[in-house]
Amino acid sequence: MTEFSFACTGVRADRYAAGPTLVFRLRVTVAGNARVHALALRCQIRVEPARRAYESAEADGLADLFGERSRWGSTLQPVQFAQVSLMVPSFTGETEADLVVPCTYDMDVAATRYLTALTDGEVPLLMLFSGTAFTGTGGFQVEPVPWDREAAFRMPVTAWQEMVEQHFPGCGWIRLPRDTMDALLAYRSRHALPSWEATVAALLEGADPPAHDPLRALTGTTGRTDP
């Protein structure tokens, strides 16, 4: 069986993509300088949060994912980041290819909440590979890429931040149920508010929530009834 090894040599934000996208540079090496006609890869990318340290502000931002820092010994588990496919064209011995990973800024996604909470440093990633290889020098044969093929990579936090800033400069996203959106739209129309920002600001102004929980005004728990 052909022996494959993988390494990630870099990452960049794709500024020309229609949506948030990271491009990882992969190096694929085949033992014995073997000939590969094509390589159909599947790659699972996981965040390994236990493999880095965290500042106090970062720990506060990660509390909803992992709980209090005192519990991190048992709660700091891997987080799924992406699953993507890649077709690598013909090569002999070694080649490099771009692994394109579409991303999301949906804060309901655990990986997004994790990455948004980080202020600096690196993101410890683990890439797990599998797939099908089409090999052979004098002929043609099909063989699997073993499931134990993997590559560790430490992605700079700045790569994620640059990608987000390219597509959502100075903004954040929140997903709400349809009935809540309908209620917000009705409130905005009733008060002739020019934007969603103005709508949320008006709701926050009209309520008096505790200082540590400024979004309670949107949940209906403050007891305030809109006229």
Side-chain angles (χ1 to χ4, degrees), residues 2 18 42 61-62 80-81 99-100 115 120 122 127 133 155:
T2 305
R42 293 184 297 273
L62 294 170
Q80 179 77 5
F81 181 59
L99 181 68
V100 178
L115 290 162
D120 203 356
E122 297 173 326
M127 297 179 169
M155 178 179 75

Side-chain angles (χ1 to χ4, degrees), residues 33-135:
N33 206 38
R35 172 72 171 171
V36 177
H37 300 291
L39 187 60
L41 281 179
R42 293 184 297 273
C43 180
Q44 178 186 154
I45 305 177
R46 297 192 315 207
V47 179
E48 303 274 289
R51 291 171 45 209
R52 64 158 281 169
Y54 299 91
E55 302 291 339
S56 296
E58 294 175 329
D60 292 342
L62 294 170
D64 66 325
L65 280 179
F66 305 122
E68 298 298 322
R69 193 190 281 265
S70 59
R71 300 177 51 215
W72 283 10
S74 59
T75 63
L76 221 58
Q77 300 299 316
V79 176
Q80 179 77 5
F81 181 59
Q83 291 196 58
V84 291
S85 299
L86 173 66
M87 181 62 72
V88 181
S90 175
F91 69 96
T92 300
E94 184 175 283
T95 190
E96 292 195 356
D98 285 338
L99 181 68
V100 178
V101 179
C103 300
T104 177
Y105 198 35
D106 185 345
M107 293 300 289
D108 283 345
V109 177
T112 302
R113 295 207 307 276
Y114 174 85
L115 290 162
T116 302
L118 303 184
T119 58
D120 203 356
E122 297 173 326
V123 183
L125 300 178
L126 183 64
M127 297 179 169
L128 306 170
F129 297 96
S130 61
T132 304
F134 304 88
T135 62

Side-chain angles (χ1 to χ4, degrees), residues 116-196:
T116 302
L118 303 184
T119 58
D120 203 356
E122 297 173 326
V123 183
L125 300 178
L126 183 64
M127 297 179 169
L128 306 170
F129 297 96
S130 61
T132 304
F134 304 88
T135 62
T137 52
F140 187 87
Q141 64 186 51
V142 180
E143 55 184 298
V145 176
W147 283 90
D148 62 352
R149 302 296 89 181
E150 61 184 44
F153 179 65
R154 302 190 73 86
M155 178 179 75
V157 173
T158 51
W160 170 267
Q161 294 171 340
E162 178 186 346
M163 179 199 70
V164 171
E165 190 62 21
Q166 285 172 3
H167 293 273
F168 310 116
C171 298
W173 288 94
I174 183 170
R175 184 170 63 180
L176 298 172
R178 175 60 63 185
D179 56 349
T180 304
M181 285 298 301
D182 290 343
L184 282 172
L185 180 59
Y187 180 91
R188 175 179 173 177
S189 299
R190 197 158 56 243
H191 294 273
L193 295 165
S195 66
W196 288 115

